[in-house]
């Protein structure tokens, strides 16, 4: 995890512009570099570093003697850089995993480069000889990337939008800042003036397709066929492989643990593999909640079962409410459920940074979207429609759960790793027949639970623990985080303001006081940028006016038994 920033064709003094790069300093607390591009006086790179791999030679932009005309700024981890080195005989100059991007590009161009990377990444690659700039982002957008491109060819690129919104430019119109699409790369011509012109935007990978880099994966060809035992075995093998490849780090590894299925599976497999490769320190697991919340109790059981060094972060309603504004500033969104769920994650990340030496943090993001874990999937009209919804959710992860996971951890200089979004694991899971993936016997993620039933990785009551609405998991069913927020915000937003909300905010108008409250804070920090969120996250197939699972009938009946 780090922060990348670059400008091409700036009309303004670069020393003034570089103040914008400091807006993302939290992403890389270990070091900062600002570098002008030789021969292009109005082009520059800014880089905030979190040293996770190659602490000596890991500064960016990366340049190597073999390719003096290539400049690379990237944020991410490339898990197959050693396999690619072995396959193609690359001679690396550093231990930095991202160096492989330079060698792949030199060997076969940008399309082959992006397609062969097994990992998470957002990068800016400059080729001064051929006068090209390339931008690329991983399949699910696990690593963030924003850009601004004006009509006259001024380009700004940054890990977070806040590093671009106050850039100075001669154009009278306010340049439009927008997220760079996951699974795409863009080719831009670099003119002698330092300005650029976009040539093409290409989708290089779709999550349903098996990625090209499977040919050099550490797991050999898996048995085919859809009989349940084969499928369960393949799920276990691929998930374990997804966790194993993410152990690549020179800093301490920890794991978020809510006591739900996803984070518990990640923690259990992670600890098993750390023991196998004799990592010398114990795995720290982290749970957050209010006193005696369901998540804390469940996480305690998991930690005791797997034998992790467990940490509990207890917060009260006042601490949660006080964090709202900082959370919205970090997230760059006004989406209701994203903000609600981010507060706990933001506070636990703050604790990890201040109180421990864990820097690389594993988490269970992506599982709900992939394995149909949301409670509303029980209402899907057919397996096929459930499969389509799962794909839609995965496509939009970068706007919601992946955004939450990245920003809440990056705000405190932590690097998040999400094995459920491993390319090979997700493409295999999505290739399974639709009827295999739906909830069964009133239980969501039935197939995933079944796959690990005989593994003894987790206690049975955790493996089959029903989905908990996040706002209830961290509080109590009697007084949920959802209810606490409603009670507080009801006093902050007048009924009259809500009635006039559509006039004040015509795009994505707030329908509830909570939504209005978040929108006000967002507009304070990011005025006129409401288009960053195309729509609110809402469940399908149910007449919901709020995204909380707490409002769904299935959830109410399940929690009242």
């Amino acid at each position: 995890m780090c922060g990348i920033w670059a400008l091409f064709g700036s009309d303004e003094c670069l020393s003034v512009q570089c103040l914008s790069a400091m807006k993302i300093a939290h992403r890389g607390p270990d070091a900062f570099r600002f570098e002008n591009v030789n021969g292009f006086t109005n082009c520059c790179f800014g880089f905030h570093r979190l040293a996770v791999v190659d602490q000596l030679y890991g500064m960016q932009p990366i340049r190597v003697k073999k390719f003096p005309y290539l400049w690379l700024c990237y944020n991410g981890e490339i898990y197959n850089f050693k396999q690619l080195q072995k396959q193609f005989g690359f001679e690396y100059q550093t231990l930095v995993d991202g160096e492989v991007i330079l060698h792949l590009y030199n060997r076969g161009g940008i399309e082959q480069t992006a397609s062969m990377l097994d990992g998470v990444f957002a990068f800016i690659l400059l080729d001064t000889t051929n006068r090209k700039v390339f931008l690329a982002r991983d399949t699910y957008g696990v690593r963030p990337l924003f850009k601004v491109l004006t009509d006259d060819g001024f380009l700004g690129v940054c890990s977070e939008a806040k590093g671009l919104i106050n850039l100075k430019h001669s154009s009278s119109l306010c340049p439009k800042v927008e997220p760079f699409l996951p699974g795409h790369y863009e080719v831009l011509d670099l003119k002698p003036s330092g300005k650029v012109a976009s040539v093409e935007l290409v989708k290089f990978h779709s999550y349903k397709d098996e990625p090209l880099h499977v040919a050099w994966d550490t797991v050999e060809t898996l048995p085919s066929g859809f009989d349940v035992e084969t499928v369960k075995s393949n799920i276990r093998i691929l998930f374990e492989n997804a966790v194993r490849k993410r152990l690549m780090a020179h800093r301490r590894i920890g794991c978020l643990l809510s006591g739900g299925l996803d984070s518990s599976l990640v923690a259990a497999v992670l600890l098993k593999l750390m023991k196998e490769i004799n990592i010398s320190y114990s795995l720290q697991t982290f749970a957050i909640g209010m006193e005696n919340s369901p998540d804390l109790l469940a996480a305690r059981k998991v930690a005791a079962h797997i034998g992790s060094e467990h940490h509990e972060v207890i917060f009260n309603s006042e601490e949660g409410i006080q964090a709202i504004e900082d959370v919205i500033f970090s997230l760059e969104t006004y989406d209701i459920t994203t903000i609600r769920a981010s507060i706990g994650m933001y506070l636990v990340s703050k604790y990890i940074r201040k109180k421990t030496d864990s820097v690389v943090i594993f988490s269970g993001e992506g599982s709900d979207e992939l394995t149909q874990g949301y409670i509303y999937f029980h209402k899907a009209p057919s397996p096929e429609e459930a499969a389509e919804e799962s794909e839609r959710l995965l496509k939009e992860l970068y706007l919601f759960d992946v955004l939450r996971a990245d920003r809440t951890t990056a705000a405190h200089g932590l690097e998040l790793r999400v094995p459920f979004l491993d390319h090979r694991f997700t493409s295999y899971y999505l290739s399974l027949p639709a009827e295999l993936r739906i909830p069964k016997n009133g239980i969501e993620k039935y197939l995933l639970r079944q796959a690990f039933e005989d593994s003894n990785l987790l206690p049975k009551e955790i493996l089959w623990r029903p989905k908990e609405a996040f706002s209830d998991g961290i509080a109590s069913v009697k007084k949920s985080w959802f209810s606490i927020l409603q009670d507080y915000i009801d006093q902050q937003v007048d009924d009259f303001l809500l009635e006039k909300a559509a006039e004040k905010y015509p795009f994505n108008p707030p329908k509830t006081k909570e939504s209005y409250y978040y929108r006000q804070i967002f507009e304070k920090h990011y005025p006129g940028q409401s288009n960053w969120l195309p729509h609110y996250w809402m469940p399908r197939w149910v007449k919901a006016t709020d995204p909380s699972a707490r409002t769904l009938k299935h959830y109410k009946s399940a929690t009242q038994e």
Side-chain angles (χ1 to χ4, degrees), residues 220-292:
E220 299 299 318
T221 307
L222 292 166
S224 56
F226 296 129
D227 64 281
V228 175
E229 289 310 310
T230 299
V231 167
K232 282 160 56 177
S233 172
N234 287 348
I235 287 172
R236 287 193 302 273
I237 290 166
L238 289 178
F239 185 68
E240 194 167 295
N241 184 47
V243 176
R244 183 182 288 108
K245 66 177 77 162
R246 284 164 175 77
L247 287 170
M248 180 184 89
H250 296 163
R251 300 288 286 274
R252 183 166 185 161
I253 290 168
C255 189
L256 299 182
L257 180 59
S258 71
L261 174 67
D262 309 327
S263 64
S264 299
L265 266 181
V266 171
V269 172
L270 179 55
L271 191 69
K272 173 182 173 241
L273 296 176
M274 284 171 70
K275 282 179 180 171
E276 282 179 16
I277 61 172
N278 296 316
I279 286 181
S280 58
Y281 55 81
S282 56
L283 174 67
Q284 293 178 329
T285 50
F286 304 95
I288 186 164
M290 295 178 175
E291 204 75 54
N292 292 321

Side-chain angles (χ1 to χ4, degrees), residues 146-149 160-167 173-179 328-329 331-335 399 403 504-508 518-536:
F146 286 81
K147 75 164 196 177
V148 57
L149 180 60
E160 297 181 18
K162 56 180 69 70
L164 299 175
I165 53 172
N166 292 319
L167 288 174
L173 291 173
C174 190
K176 186 182 177 187
V177 177
E178 53 193 359
I328 291 172
F329 176 74
L331 293 175
E332 304 175 337
T333 188
Y334 51 93
D335 180 63
L399 297 166
L403 179 148
K504 189 172 184 181
Y505 305 121
F507 183 75
N508 281 339
Y518 297 158
R519 183 65 172 271
Q520 278 186 310
I521 296 171
F522 175 84
E523 293 287 345
K524 173 183 162 185
H525 293 288
Y526 307 110
Q529 305 291 352
S530 59
N531 61 297
W532 291 346
L533 178 70
H535 60 85
Y536 293 105

Side-chain angles (χ1 to χ4, degrees), residues 17 28 39 175 201 285 322 442 546 549:
Q17 300 281 48
L201 179 68
T285 50
Q322 282 179 348
D546 187 279

